[in-house]
Amino acid sequence: MADGGPSPDAGRLRPPGLGLLLAEARSIFEFNASVLLSPLLLRAPRGDGHPVLTLPGFLASDLSMAPMRRYLGELGHATAAWRMGRNIGGIARMRSLLLDRLAEIHREAAKKVSIVGWSLGGVYARDLALQAPELVRDVVTLGSPFANDVRATNATRLYEAVTGETADAYPELRAAISGDLPVPTTSIYSRADGIVNWQTCRLRPSDTAENIEIHLASHVGLGVNPAALWAVADRLAQAEGQFKQFDRSGPFAIAYAPPEQAQSR
């Protein structure tokens, strides 16, 4: 290759390395920790009964979100599964189906719906907030690659093979999903994620948008990690139309990285 020009890959983010990928096996310990700490987790702020839709990650089903739904249900939230089997659809294919499901939950509850999305499910959640902000109360994402170079994951090739959709397809839609949302938004992520490059999970902080970094959490275990569960419950317990930055001084304080400085929109 001749000198004089930058490589096509210059400046691109890379997927997490092999060490982090192999370390994803620790997710079983995160689940066990949440079971052991369940009495403490149930001290989290309680919900007001509004509906919470949970969206699973790529190749996962409603079963993967069952522990979170059970936990949130015990705290007073009206949880709802997505009821679409395994998540094997691309963004373009799933948009109308997800919007119909969101509208159904909103119609039955007569209340705005909070959405919690894990990995690819979080990308869907952000898109739903853009499509129908009048139906969405707030959005919480867990290890979701919506920003920067979304190809920087160890699941990109499999995603493209299964969905028939390239990870960076629909650039205008991708740009909108990565931008500011019209509803309160929280992105939870970990630098120890072995599937998704953590830099693809970060939103632009503002008065109604925040990042919560959890030390040492895995990607596969993020939805059952006790510190993540506490943060999700705390965020969903906020009154509709109100938003305060997450207070890291609770029982899992040691698990959270320091907060970022919010920026005005």
Side-chain angles (χ1 to χ4, degrees):
M1 179 181 297
D3 294 335
S7 164
D9 293 329
R12 299 202 72 167
L13 298 176
R14 294 181 178 275
L18 180 60
L20 284 177
L21 179 60
L22 294 176
E24 284 291 310
R26 70 188 184 280
S27 60
I28 186 64
F29 298 106
E30 293 173 275
F31 175 72
N32 289 340
S34 69
V35 173
L36 290 172
L37 295 171
S38 57
L40 181 59
L41 283 167
L42 290 174
R43 297 180 186 176
R46 296 191 60 83
D48 60 3
H50 79 277
V52 179
L53 172 62
T54 60
L55 303 179
F58 178 53
L59 297 183
S61 67
D62 282 325
L63 183 62
S64 68
M65 303 293 286
M68 179 172 291
R69 286 197 304 276
R70 187 179 306 113
Y71 170 59
L72 295 176
E74 290 178 349
L75 289 174
H77 297 283
T79 61
W82 86 328
R83 298 180 182 174
M84 298 184 195
R86 289 197 175 276
N87 185 354
I88 57 173
I91 293 177
R93 190 191 319 170
M94 298 302 300
R95 294 188 83 206
S96 61
L97 295 173
L98 285 163
L99 186 57
D100 289 344
R101 177 65 177 136
L102 173 65
E104 176 187 23
I105 296 169
H106 180 269
R107 183 172 59 253
E108 292 176 352
K111 296 178 180 179
K112 287 188 175 182
V113 183
S114 291
I115 310 177
V116 180
W118 193 349
S119 195
L120 179 59
V123 179
Y124 294 160
R126 291 180 64 87
D127 183 47
L128 282 173
L130 291 171
Q131 291 191 76
E134 71 281 4
L135 306 183
V136 179
R137 177 162 163 166
D138 48 24
V139 168
V140 180
T141 61
L142 298 156
S144 298
F146 58 82
N148 297 312
D149 183 3
V150 296
R151 295 185 60 85
T153 83
N154 282 312
T156 298
R157 291 183 179 179
L158 183 58
Y159 172 86
E160 294 177 341
V162 171
T163 67
E165 176 183 291
T166 60
D168 50 7
Y170 313 106
E172 292 184 0
L173 175 58
R174 287 286 189 176
I177 291 173
S178 69
D180 298 336
L181 297 188
V183 302
T185 314
T186 299
S187 175
I188 300 173
Y189 69 92
S190 172
R191 298 191 188 215
D193 192 315
I195 305 296
V196 170
N197 186 309
W198 63 273
Q199 294 179 77
T200 68
C201 304
R202 288 164 50 83
L203 51 73
R204 186 176 76 91
S206 74
D207 292 339
T208 56
E210 65 183 344
N211 295 302
I212 301 176
E213 179 187 342
I214 298 181
H215 295 308
L216 304 178
S218 69
H219 184 84
V220 176
L222 200 53
V224 293
N225 179 288
L229 288 173
W230 179 278
V232 171
D234 181 89
R235 300 293 78 199
L236 296 180
Q238 297 180 101
E240 182 175 345
Q242 298 182 14
F243 185 87
K244 295 192 302 182
Q245 300 292 318
F246 179 57
D247 182 0
R248 290 161 170 79
S249 65
F252 299 98
I254 194 173
Y256 306 115
E260 300 169 281
Q261 185 67 37
Q263 301 171 0
S264 299
R265 289 183 188 270

